[in-house]
Amino acid sequence: MTPPPTGLFRHADFRRFWAADTVSQAGAAVTLVALPLVAVGTLDATPFDAGLLVAFEYLGFLLIGLPAGAWVDQVRQRPVMIAADVVRAVLLFSVPAASWLGVLTLPQLYAVAFGMSVCTAFFDVAHGSYLAHLVPDEQLVAANVRIEAGRSTVQVGGPGVGGALVGALTAPVALAADVLSFGVSALLLGRIRRSGARPTTRPTTRPGAGLRTEIAEGLRFVLGDRLLRAVTFTAAVSNLCGTVGASMLVVLLAGELHLSPFLCGLVFAAEAVGGLVGSLLTVRFTARLGQGPAMCAAVAGSAVLWLLAVPLFRADGRFVLAVLLQALGWVLFMTFRITSVAFRQRLCPKPLLGRVTATVRFLVWGVMPVGALIGGVLGQSLGVRQALWAGAVGELLAVLPVLCSPLRRMRELPYDRSEPAPRSSVGAAAG
């Protein structure tokens, strides 16, 4: 069931897994533009309303992120992902249905966003654990590169298509594209032959241990490892501050600058282009600088570029430069994103993967509702652009945890010490 080192796409199950993730991300790229535009354009949401919507989009990770990991470790991951896709499709379909009936409200959008976040919390925990069972350790970096490249590729056109659909069909109707994508994703996942490992023993937990003990194991592993703790805190600070500004970006573009839905989508499309280029350059960048130094440089450089973009979001020629800087920031940041995920998957013993992934998601994504609320409050009280400034300045602090750790000097990150050392991840990914 495992592929030869030189050909991940010869692995039929990985192809289906990759295709399911890619098509799901294509629809999600449309929703990235359409859902905020439903709130701002269709329902006349205030900056605080828009921030609250973003908060609900991530609230599931804060509320059920930790128990989701403990539960996913005790079941097969593939059925969890299929069920999450089906429920997300149903939730999203309720938005255009309510719009057609003339009963769409902001509370319904909040409920849909929260339900989506709960499903995504379960899906992402299962996704990370299942991938580590699907491919060998020495190919995890290469597998993550291919997954991120696929996501970035479809996200290049997705927001632009989403903006065009919003302009032609209205924002609620544009969400129907995402409904279809989740359905196709569920079908592709259903065709995978390998169902994933279901652990029958707990090497670090006594038999009959309760949910609290399961959760505590994940927390101890993440917070007890100095390197993993630094990577997690860096990601958390970046997400917290990034969401402060991101929650207000559509409000600025559509609400204050009165840009067309297509131009609003263009900003997110440019970020996806940057993510695609960054994912393709990650292996080369880490091979040249070393994995640890490359991660530090990626976080610091992307923060500076995003800060420079804030004053350039105007309804004139400066908008093009702002979009370019935004994209370049993502070119750099993808090195940190891909390398940190592969590092966690290699370092963590497989029976703990679900809990560790959920713990990281809880710490990294759980701060995003807080950031969105802060952005909404700042946007309502001080102004939307001031909220963007606050988020961009805060992003500069994200590099401190990794910069103050041994990571800044480590060319090769460690692996799970309970198993034989895998072949160099950088070399495997390059191959």
Side-chain angles (χ1 to χ4, degrees):
M1 296 299 298
T2 57
T6 57
L8 269 175
F9 283 117
R10 297 178 187 174
H11 189 331
D13 281 346
F14 177 77
R15 287 201 309 270
R16 297 183 184 106
F17 181 82
W18 175 85
D21 183 77
T22 301
V23 73
S24 175
Q25 292 298 323
V30 174
T31 301
L32 183 67
V33 177
L35 196 61
L37 286 177
V38 171
V40 176
T42 304
L43 300 177
D44 298 320
T46 65
F48 179 77
D49 293 333
L52 192 59
L53 177 63
V54 176
F56 276 112
E57 288 178 330
Y58 297 104
L59 189 58
F61 293 95
L62 181 62
L63 297 183
I64 56 95
L66 290 177
W71 182 75
V72 165
D73 268 344
Q74 302 179 53
V75 299
R76 298 190 185 280
Q77 298 90 15
R78 186 167 61 101
V80 174
M81 293 187 287
I82 294 172
D85 272 341
V86 171
V87 175
R88 286 189 289 187
V90 173
L91 286 171
L92 271 183
F93 182 73
S94 72
V95 177
S99 177
W100 293 331
L101 295 173
V103 294
L104 183 62
T105 62
L106 275 172
Q108 180 184 344
L109 279 190
Y110 296 153
V112 169
F114 175 67
M116 294 280 291
S117 73
V118 171
C119 292
T120 303
F122 279 104
F123 183 93
D124 285 356
V125 170
H127 182 281
S129 298
Y130 187 59
L131 178 61
H133 290 293
L134 197 63
V135 301
D137 288 349
E138 65 269 19
Q139 289 189 304
L140 278 173
V141 171
N144 279 288
V145 166
R146 282 157 176 75
I147 287 172
E148 292 295 342
R151 291 180 175 186
S152 297
T153 300
V154 298
Q155 288 169 358
V156 169
V161 171
L165 288 174
V166 169
L169 304 174
T170 74
V173 179
L175 291 174
D178 206 2
V179 175
L180 180 62
S181 73
F182 283 126
V184 173
S185 174
L187 290 174
L188 288 169
L189 289 171
R191 295 190 60 208
I192 295 177
R193 295 191 302 273
R194 189 169 185 172
S195 58
R198 182 176 182 175
T200 56
T201 59
R202 300 288 195 194
T204 58
T205 307
R206 48 182 201 279
L211 183 63
R212 183 177 300 179
T213 305
E214 300 276 337
I215 293 172
E217 283 187 341
L219 283 168
R220 278 198 302 270
F221 188 88
V222 174
L223 300 180
D225 186 276
R226 184 179 181 185
L227 300 181
L228 186 55
R229 184 172 66 242
V231 169
T232 303
F233 285 172
T234 284
V237 174
S238 178
N239 279 358
L240 172 67
C241 299
T243 311
V244 171
S247 63
M248 292 293 101
L249 186 55
V250 172
V251 181
L252 175 69
L253 299 177
E256 294 195 358
L257 299 181
H258 305 293
L259 298 179
S260 68
F262 178 76
L263 289 178
C264 293
L266 188 63
V267 175
F268 299 100
E271 292 179 356
V273 172
L276 171 61
V277 175
S279 66
L280 298 176
L281 294 178
T282 291
V283 172
R284 186 172 299 177
F285 194 39
T286 55
R288 179 171 295 245
L289 296 183
Q291 292 178 323
M295 293 172 73
C296 295
V299 176
S302 60
V304 171
L305 289 169
W306 290 332
L307 180 66
L308 294 174
V310 172
L312 300 174
F313 279 111
R314 304 285 179 179
D316 54 31
R318 288 173 288 182
F319 176 76
V320 176
L321 185 55
V323 171
L324 179 61
L325 290 171
Q326 198 79 352
L328 290 175
W330 276 100
V331 171
L332 289 180
F333 193 75
M334 287 304 292
T335 293
F336 172 80
R337 182 172 174 175
I338 291 174
T339 308
S340 63
V341 171
F343 166 56
R344 183 178 72 243
Q345 290 170 334
R346 292 202 323 270
L347 183 71
C348 177
K350 286 185 171 58
L352 276 172
L353 261 175
R355 281 162 285 172
V356 168
T357 301
T359 299
V360 172
R361 292 284 184 179
F362 172 76
L363 297 172
V364 170
W365 289 51
V367 299
M368 296 175 80
V370 179
L373 285 176
I374 293 173
V377 170
L378 292 177
Q380 190 74 34
S381 58
L382 300 179
V384 173
R385 195 175 295 275
Q386 284 70 25
L388 287 172
W389 275 114
V393 171
E395 282 271 4
L396 296 172
L397 304 176
V399 73
L400 292 180
V402 289
L403 199 59
C404 296
S405 76
L407 279 166
R408 69 181 186 275
R409 299 185 300 269
M410 299 180 68
R411 290 195 58 85
E412 189 79 15
L413 301 184
Y415 51 85
D416 178 9
R417 296 168 181 83
S418 66
E419 298 181 359
R423 189 164 58 91
S424 169
S425 297
V426 172

mmCIF file of all heavy atoms in Angstrom, residues 310-333:
data_model
loop_
_atom_site.group_PDB
_atom_site.id
_atom_site.type_symbol
_atom_site.label_atom_id
_atom_site.label_comp_id
_atom_site.label_asym_id
_atom_site.label_seq_id
_atom_site.Cartn_x
_atom_site.Cartn_y
_atom_site.Cartn_z
ATOM 1 N N VAL A 310 -0.438 47.234 3.881
ATOM 2 C CA VAL A 310 -1.620 47.859 4.497
ATOM 3 C C VAL A 310 -1.931 49.247 3.949
ATOM 4 O O VAL A 310 -3.074 49.523 3.553
ATOM 5 C CB VAL A 310 -1.460 47.895 6.032
ATOM 6 C CG1 VAL A 310 -2.586 48.719 6.671
ATOM 7 C CG2 VAL A 310 -1.459 46.488 6.601
ATOM 8 N N PRO A 311 -0.964 50.179 3.885
ATOM 9 C CA PRO A 311 -1.323 51.523 3.417
ATOM 10 C C PRO A 311 -1.613 51.604 1.920
ATOM 11 O O PRO A 311 -2.087 52.637 1.437
ATOM 12 C CB PRO A 311 -0.085 52.361 3.764
ATOM 13 C CG PRO A 311 1.043 51.388 3.747
ATOM 14 C CD PRO A 311 0.469 50.103 4.264
ATOM 15 N N LEU A 312 -1.341 50.530 1.191
ATOM 16 C CA LEU A 312 -1.486 50.563 -0.263
ATOM 17 C C LEU A 312 -2.830 50.035 -0.752
ATOM 18 O O LEU A 312 -3.089 50.065 -1.958
ATOM 19 C CB LEU A 312 -0.347 49.768 -0.912
ATOM 20 C CG LEU A 312 1.065 50.292 -0.606
ATOM 21 C CD1 LEU A 312 2.109 49.338 -1.171
ATOM 22 C CD2 LEU A 312 1.260 51.692 -1.154
ATOM 23 N N PHE A 313 -3.675 49.556 0.150
ATOM 24 C CA PHE A 313 -5.016 49.126 -0.255
ATOM 25 C C PHE A 313 -5.874 50.375 -0.465
ATOM 26 O O PHE A 313 -6.509 50.904 0.450
ATOM 27 C CB PHE A 313 -5.636 48.206 0.799
ATOM 28 C CG PHE A 313 -5.166 46.789 0.713
ATOM 29 C CD1 PHE A 313 -4.358 46.247 1.714
ATOM 30 C CD2 PHE A 313 -5.516 45.987 -0.362
ATOM 31 C CE1 PHE A 313 -3.923 44.933 1.631
ATOM 32 C CE2 PHE A 313 -5.079 44.671 -0.452
ATOM 33 C CZ PHE A 313 -4.282 44.154 0.545
ATOM 34 N N ARG A 314 -5.866 50.867 -1.698
ATOM 35 C CA ARG A 314 -6.623 52.058 -2.091
ATOM 36 C C ARG A 314 -7.347 51.762 -3.404
ATOM 37 O O ARG A 314 -6.992 50.828 -4.136
ATOM 38 C CB ARG A 314 -5.690 53.258 -2.290
ATOM 39 C CG ARG A 314 -4.819 53.589 -1.088
ATOM 40 C CD ARG A 314 -5.599 54.254 0.020
ATOM 41 N NE ARG A 314 -4.752 54.545 1.175
ATOM 42 C CZ ARG A 314 -5.178 55.157 2.283
ATOM 43 N NH1 ARG A 314 -6.455 55.545 2.357
ATOM 44 N NH2 ARG A 314 -4.362 55.378 3.284
ATOM 45 N N ALA A 315 -8.314 52.572 -3.700
ATOM 46 C CA ALA A 315 -9.091 52.380 -4.937
ATOM 47 C C ALA A 315 -8.416 53.077 -6.111
ATOM 48 O O ALA A 315 -9.033 53.840 -6.858
ATOM 49 C CB ALA A 315 -10.511 52.904 -4.741
ATOM 50 N N ASP A 316 -7.106 52.832 -6.270
ATOM 51 C CA ASP A 316 -6.353 53.391 -7.387
ATOM 52 C C ASP A 316 -5.218 52.439 -7.725
ATOM 53 O O ASP A 316 -5.256 51.264 -7.350
ATOM 54 C CB ASP A 316 -5.840 54.806 -7.054
ATOM 55 C CG ASP A 316 -5.030 54.851 -5.757
ATOM 56 O OD1 ASP A 316 -4.368 53.838 -5.428
ATOM 57 O OD2 ASP A 316 -5.059 55.884 -5.066
ATOM 58 N N GLY A 317 -4.196 52.933 -8.410
ATOM 59 C CA GLY A 317 -3.114 52.071 -8.869
ATOM 60 C C GLY A 317 -2.327 51.412 -7.754
ATOM 61 O O GLY A 317 -1.673 50.382 -7.968
ATOM 62 N N ARG A 318 -2.358 51.989 -6.536
ATOM 63 C CA ARG A 318 -1.631 51.385 -5.426
ATOM 64 C C ARG A 318 -2.193 50.024 -5.033
ATOM 65 O O ARG A 318 -1.501 49.220 -4.395
ATOM 66 C CB ARG A 318 -1.664 52.332 -4.212
ATOM 67 C CG ARG A 318 -0.795 53.572 -4.377
ATOM 68 C CD ARG A 318 -0.997 54.554 -3.247
ATOM 69 N NE ARG A 318 -2.311 55.211 -3.339
ATOM 70 C CZ ARG A 318 -2.741 56.143 -2.491
ATOM 71 N NH1 ARG A 318 -1.967 56.517 -1.484
ATOM 72 N NH2 ARG A 318 -3.929 56.698 -2.643
ATOM 73 N N PHE A 319 -3.420 49.776 -5.410
ATOM 74 C CA PHE A 319 -4.054 48.490 -5.100
ATOM 75 C C PHE A 319 -3.262 47.324 -5.696
ATOM 76 O O PHE A 319 -3.109 46.282 -5.067
ATOM 77 C CB PHE A 319 -5.491 48.490 -5.633
ATOM 78 C CG PHE A 319 -6.219 47.194 -5.457
ATOM 79 C CD1 PHE A 319 -6.722 46.826 -4.215
ATOM 80 C CD2 PHE A 319 -6.390 46.324 -6.529
ATOM 81 C CE1 PHE A 319 -7.397 45.620 -4.054
ATOM 82 C CE2 PHE A 319 -7.064 45.130 -6.380
ATOM 83 C CZ PHE A 319 -7.565 44.773 -5.132
ATOM 84 N N VAL A 320 -2.722 47.509 -6.894
ATOM 85 C CA VAL A 320 -1.956 46.448 -7.555
ATOM 86 C C VAL A 320 -0.717 46.102 -6.735
ATOM 87 O O VAL A 320 -0.383 44.920 -6.535
ATOM 88 C CB VAL A 320 -1.559 46.877 -8.980
ATOM 89 C CG1 VAL A 320 -0.673 45.816 -9.632
ATOM 90 C CG2 VAL A 320 -2.795 47.134 -9.822
ATOM 91 N N LEU A 321 -0.024 47.127 -6.232
ATOM 92 C CA LEU A 321 1.173 46.895 -5.436
ATOM 93 C C LEU A 321 0.829 46.203 -4.119
ATOM 94 O O LEU A 321 1.559 45.311 -3.653
ATOM 95 C CB LEU A 321 1.888 48.215 -5.169
ATOM 96 C CG LEU A 321 3.246 48.145 -4.445
ATOM 97 C CD1 LEU A 321 4.211 47.214 -5.180
ATOM 98 C CD2 LEU A 321 3.842 49.535 -4.297
ATOM 99 N N ALA A 322 -0.293 46.588 -3.516
ATOM 100 C CA ALA A 322 -0.718 45.947 -2.276
ATOM 101 C C ALA A 322 -0.979 44.459 -2.494
ATOM 102 O O ALA A 322 -0.568 43.606 -1.694
ATOM 103 C CB ALA A 322 -1.972 46.633 -1.736
ATOM 104 N N VAL A 323 -1.638 44.136 -3.599
ATOM 105 C CA VAL A 323 -1.928 42.737 -3.910
ATOM 106 C C VAL A 323 -0.633 41.959 -4.140
ATOM 107 O O VAL A 323 -0.488 40.813 -3.694
ATOM 108 C CB VAL A 323 -2.853 42.651 -5.140
ATOM 109 C CG1 VAL A 323 -2.986 41.214 -5.619
ATOM 110 C CG2 VAL A 323 -4.233 43.217 -4.811
ATOM 111 N N LEU A 324 0.334 42.583 -4.819
ATOM 112 C CA LEU A 324 1.615 41.934 -5.074
ATOM 113 C C LEU A 324 2.356 41.636 -3.767
ATOM 114 O O LEU A 324 2.899 40.541 -3.577
ATOM 115 C CB LEU A 324 2.472 42.812 -5.987
ATOM 116 C CG LEU A 324 3.866 42.284 -6.324
ATOM 117 C CD1 LEU A 324 3.767 40.944 -7.053
ATOM 118 C CD2 LEU A 324 4.632 43.300 -7.173
ATOM 119 N N LEU A 325 2.387 42.610 -2.856
ATOM 120 C CA LEU A 325 3.054 42.402 -1.569
ATOM 121 C C LEU A 325 2.360 41.309 -0.758
ATOM 122 O O LEU A 325 3.011 40.505 -0.084
ATOM 123 C CB LEU A 325 3.086 43.713 -0.778
ATOM 124 C CG LEU A 325 4.007 44.796 -1.322
ATOM 125 C CD1 LEU A 325 3.783 46.114 -0.576
ATOM 126 C CD2 LEU A 325 5.471 44.368 -1.194
ATOM 127 N N GLN A 326 1.037 41.302 -0.817
ATOM 128 C CA GLN A 326 0.278 40.270 -0.131
ATOM 129 C C GLN A 326 0.654 38.879 -0.648
ATOM 130 O O GLN A 326 0.835 37.941 0.127
ATOM 131 C CB GLN A 326 -1.214 40.542 -0.353
ATOM 132 C CG GLN A 326 -2.159 39.863 0.584
ATOM 133 C CD GLN A 326 -2.288 40.534 1.934
ATOM 134 O OE1 GLN A 326 -1.552 41.457 2.268
ATOM 135 N NE2 GLN A 326 -3.216 40.042 2.723
ATOM 136 N N ALA A 327 0.796 38.768 -1.965
ATOM 137 C CA ALA A 327 1.166 37.485 -2.569
ATOM 138 C C ALA A 327 2.591 37.080 -2.189
ATOM 139 O O ALA A 327 2.855 35.917 -1.867
ATOM 140 C CB ALA A 327 1.029 37.574 -4.086
ATOM 141 N N LEU A 328 3.520 38.027 -2.211
ATOM 142 C CA LEU A 328 4.910 37.720 -1.859
ATOM 143 C C LEU A 328 5.022 37.267 -0.411
ATOM 144 O O LEU A 328 5.856 36.405 -0.078
ATOM 145 C CB LEU A 328 5.798 38.947 -2.104
ATOM 146 C CG LEU A 328 6.034 39.313 -3.572
ATOM 147 C CD1 LEU A 328 6.821 40.622 -3.671
ATOM 148 C CD2 LEU A 328 6.764 38.195 -4.299
ATOM 149 N N GLY A 329 4.203 37.838 0.453
ATOM 150 C CA GLY A 329 4.194 37.394 1.840
ATOM 151 C C GLY A 329 3.846 35.923 1.963
ATOM 152 O O GLY A 329 4.451 35.178 2.740
ATOM 153 N N TRP A 330 2.883 35.479 1.140
ATOM 154 C CA TRP A 330 2.503 34.069 1.178
ATOM 155 C C TRP A 330 3.550 33.178 0.531
ATOM 156 O O TRP A 330 3.682 32.004 0.899
ATOM 157 C CB TRP A 330 1.141 33.869 0.517
ATOM 158 C CG TRP A 330 0.041 34.152 1.479
ATOM 159 C CD1 TRP A 330 -0.712 35.284 1.585
ATOM 160 C CD2 TRP A 330 -0.401 33.288 2.527
ATOM 161 N NE1 TRP A 330 -1.601 35.180 2.623
ATOM 162 C CE2 TRP A 330 -1.441 33.962 3.213
ATOM 163 C CE3 TRP A 330 -0.040 32.014 2.941
ATOM 164 C CZ2 TRP A 330 -2.100 33.388 4.309
ATOM 165 C CZ3 TRP A 330 -0.695 31.451 4.034
ATOM 166 C CH2 TRP A 330 -1.709 32.141 4.696
ATOM 167 N N VAL A 331 4.305 33.695 -0.431
ATOM 168 C CA VAL A 331 5.420 32.918 -0.997
ATOM 169 C C VAL A 331 6.368 32.497 0.123
ATOM 170 O O VAL A 331 6.792 31.339 0.207
ATOM 171 C CB VAL A 331 6.169 33.735 -2.066
ATOM 172 C CG1 VAL A 331 7.451 33.017 -2.483
ATOM 173 C CG2 VAL A 331 5.282 33.968 -3.288
ATOM 174 N N LEU A 332 6.690 33.442 0.998
ATOM 175 C CA LEU A 332 7.604 33.142 2.098
ATOM 176 C C LEU A 332 6.949 32.281 3.171
ATOM 177 O O LEU A 332 7.533 31.310 3.651
ATOM 178 C CB LEU A 332 8.116 34.445 2.714
ATOM 179 C CG LEU A 332 9.103 35.261 1.883
ATOM 180 C CD1 LEU A 332 9.507 36.518 2.638
ATOM 181 C CD2 LEU A 332 10.340 34.437 1.552
ATOM 182 N N PHE A 333 5.725 32.632 3.554
ATOM 183 C CA PHE A 333 5.116 31.982 4.709
ATOM 184 C C PHE A 333 4.865 30.488 4.475
ATOM 185 O O PHE A 333 4.819 29.707 5.430
ATOM 186 C CB PHE A 333 3.805 32.675 5.079
ATOM 187 C CG PHE A 333 3.268 32.267 6.430
ATOM 188 C CD1 PHE A 333 3.861 32.752 7.584
ATOM 189 C CD2 PHE A 333 2.201 31.385 6.542
ATOM 190 C CE1 PHE A 333 3.399 32.372 8.829
ATOM 191 C CE2 PHE A 333 1.727 31.011 7.783
ATOM 192 C CZ PHE A 333 2.322 31.505 8.936
#
